[in-house]
Amino acid sequence: MDNKLWKIGFFTGLTSFVLLILGVRTVLGQELEWKNYLAFGIFGLIVGVFSSLLLFYKLKIAFRIFIIAVALGFVELFRSFLMNTGGFGDLAGILSLFIISSFGLGIAFMVQAVVMVTRKNK
């Protein structure tokens, strides 16, 4: 795999990992256990691997949509943490990050498929 793709995947995965820790530990003020770090690391690894694979297979449009979806997921995570102090803000924030990221990946694949089919037919 190209060295540049590895660096992009590592950066996106590490950024996701750090943002999750920053959000839960700093914004929410929760004490984290090793299971939390493991879960955040796995999520960061998944985001990093998907971003590297999208670029490896030259799916640039899908990569951009996926990164935007992950960024929107983190925006919703922090918004939910900061605005919803009623008790369910932490759960809603984490779930919205996972759901938005998953839908973003699905939409990215669909848009990329449509673009590939239309380019092939021209």
Side-chain angles (χ1 to χ4, degrees), residues 1-10 52 55-56 58:
M1 189 186 301
D2 190 18
N3 194 21
K4 181 181 174 185
L5 301 179
W6 181 83
K7 288 179 184 178
I8 291 172
F10 180 75
S52 291
L55 288 175
F56 178 74
K58 296 176 180 40

Side-chain angles (χ1 to χ4, degrees), residues 3-119:
N3 194 21
K4 181 181 174 185
L5 301 179
W6 181 83
K7 288 179 184 178
I8 291 172
F10 180 75
F11 178 73
T12 56
L14 184 65
T15 303
S16 297
F17 177 70
V18 169
L19 284 174
L20 273 170
I21 290 174
L22 179 74
V24 173
R25 189 176 64 188
T26 306
V27 175
L28 282 181
Q30 297 290 324
E31 189 68 29
L32 296 177
E33 298 178 5
W34 67 272
K35 292 178 185 178
N36 299 113
Y37 290 111
L38 180 66
F40 296 164
I42 290 172
F43 179 75
L45 181 68
I46 290 170
V47 169
V49 166
F50 275 128
S51 62
S52 291
L53 286 175
L54 288 172
L55 288 175
F56 178 74
Y57 289 112
K58 296 176 180 40
L59 304 173
K60 293 180 182 180
I61 296 171
F63 171 75
R64 290 182 183 131
I65 293 171
F66 176 63
I67 293 299
I68 289 170
V70 171
L72 287 175
F74 275 108
V75 167
E76 178 60 25
L77 172 98
F78 283 107
R79 188 205 62 79
S80 180
F81 285 175
L82 293 172
M83 298 298 177
N84 192 354
T85 58
F88 289 110
D90 52 352
L91 180 63
I94 294 289
L95 284 176
S96 65
L97 171 66
F98 294 157
I99 290 169
I100 292 171
S101 299
S102 300
F103 279 133
L105 184 62
I107 290 170
F109 281 135
M110 286 186 236
V111 169
Q112 187 70 47
V114 168
V115 168
M116 290 172 69
V117 167
T118 56
R119 285 183 183 167

